[in-house]
Amino acid sequence: METLATTTLLEHIQDNTTRLEFNKTAAEQNLDVAALPNDTKVLDLEQFKPRRNRFRGKFATSSVEDFVNYTEAKADLGAECFVYPDDMTATAVLNLGSINAPGHADSLAKMKLKTTAAFDAINKTDGAARSQQQLAEWLEDWRDSVQGLTNDEQALTANQVIAAIRRITIKAGSTSDHTEGQLSATRSSLEQVEASSNNEPLPSFILFKCTPYQGLAERTFVLRMSLRTVEENPLLSLRIIRPEQHEEEMAEEFAGLLQEKFGDTLPVTIGAFSA
């Protein structure tokens, strides 16, 4: 029993000697590491002090003005703002520091631009098949934002577009033509279905003008209208043309808006950052 105790004591002495030598060498080489016993618990005493050792925290808002004001008030050395285009968010890292004097990068301000009701509406309808009545009612709800355009670039008012949608009729006839247009769809190899709207010009495109995000400028989205039939009933769908281009342009506009607000206070970069 005495031999076992002596062996254990010698092991502890050897471990302590090794740790002391390591910590001494680490300190001489200015390394921020330390060797500790396995059963050592490190306790952060900051929570017991009347004040924190340094400022840090996370601020979140959907207001551009509040985001800019908070960021400018709390920005430290090397602060930078990053705009992430996929979800139209901005993150300001307030204590990023520099390459030679890096900060902890844990003091953050975040903002997510809020979409408008009109932009939500066209995103929900993008690619969705609707009946004549459903599409006409949707267009009536947003008549102030809507214009039409025919294949030959004839402009149509919202009233003309809605009237044309309501009066769509389906014509079926035998043909061997396999060509498929925006407003015609082949049912079988010998039957073609075509949409017409009596004497009303039928739009091929819907121009939808709206402000997509609060704080950004108004823009026009072009939606292509297409037709398919189910049991003699026409189903119409609208699809946004070149949505990726709109996303890129809106992200650039967002970054430009923030850079204009910040001026020389801190740079704005499109991309994501993680420490």
Side-chain angles (χ1 to χ4, degrees):
M1 193 72 173
E2 184 178 350
T3 303
L4 179 60
T6 302
T7 302
T8 303
L9 179 60
L10 290 174
E11 288 176 351
H12 278 299
I13 294 174
Q14 184 177 7
D15 287 344
N16 284 333
T17 302
T18 303
R19 279 193 293 272
L20 289 172
E21 289 296 327
F22 176 86
N23 291 336
K24 180 181 179 182
T25 303
E28 290 173 350
Q29 297 184 15
N30 200 28
L31 300 177
D32 293 329
V33 293
L36 300 174
N38 291 332
D39 58 353
T40 298
K41 182 178 180 180
V42 178
L43 181 63
D44 185 359
L45 300 178
E46 184 187 47
Q47 58 185 312
F48 303 108
K49 299 171 66 175
R51 293 184 178 84
R52 302 174 82 180
N53 294 332
R54 58 187 179 82
F55 176 83
R56 61 194 182 276
K58 296 179 181 179
F59 171 76
T61 184
S62 60
S63 166
V64 174
E65 293 300 328
D66 289 338
F67 175 76
V68 171
N69 290 339
Y70 180 89
T71 299
E72 289 182 336
K74 300 296 191 294
D76 204 345
L77 176 67
E80 189 167 348
C81 179
F82 300 90
V83 172
Y84 189 52
D86 287 8
D87 57 2
M88 294 296 281
T89 58
T91 300
V93 185
L94 305 176
N95 59 341
L96 185 59
S98 64
I99 294 178
N100 295 325
H104 287 272
D106 57 359
S107 181
L108 307 173
K110 294 189 175 184
M111 179 184 63
K112 181 176 177 60
L113 279 184
K114 189 174 182 180
T115 57
T116 62
F119 189 52
D120 288 339
I122 62 169
N123 280 324
K124 288 178 181 177
T125 201
D126 184 31
R130 297 171 181 259
S131 66
Q132 285 175 264
Q133 180 178 351
Q134 289 172 333
L135 183 58
E137 289 176 351
W138 185 85
L139 292 168
E140 285 177 347
D141 289 342
W142 299 100
R143 65 168 59 244
D144 292 338
S145 303
V146 168
Q147 285 185 308
L149 198 64
T150 64
N151 262 332
D152 57 1
E153 298 186 353
Q154 177 185 349
L156 304 175
T157 65
N159 288 337
Q160 288 176 309
V161 170
I162 295 167
I165 297 296
R166 289 194 179 279
R167 294 174 183 170
I168 286 179
T169 57
I170 300 297
K171 298 178 182 179
S174 297
T175 179
S176 58
D177 187 1
H178 292 269
T179 302
E180 184 169 307
Q182 285 178 224
L183 298 175
S184 64
T186 302
R187 275 181 171 172
S188 67
S189 60
L190 295 176
E191 188 177 23
Q192 182 178 349
V193 176
E194 184 176 339
S196 65
S197 187
N198 297 324
N199 294 325
E200 296 286 345
L202 195 60
S204 294
F205 305 95
I206 300 296
L207 309 182
F208 195 98
K209 184 180 291 187
C210 71
T211 301
Y213 292 91
Q214 293 181 5
L216 297 190
E218 188 178 66
R219 65 175 45 237
T220 298
F221 296 87
V222 181
L223 296 88
R224 179 182 290 108
M225 189 166 74
S226 57
L227 164 78
R228 65 185 178 89
T229 60
V230 176
E231 297 179 354
E232 305 293 338
N233 297 315
L235 288 179
L236 299 159
S237 63
L238 301 176
R239 188 172 296 279
I240 300 173
I241 296 177
R242 294 195 296 273
E244 298 83 3
Q245 180 177 339
H246 284 289
E247 291 171 1
E248 290 177 1
E249 291 173 354
M250 289 186 294
E252 291 173 0
E253 182 184 353
F254 185 24
L257 172 65
L258 291 177
Q259 191 64 80
E260 180 182 352
K261 295 283 187 181
F262 286 131
D264 297 330
T265 304
L266 74 165
V268 177
T269 305
I270 294 179
F273 174 82
S274 60

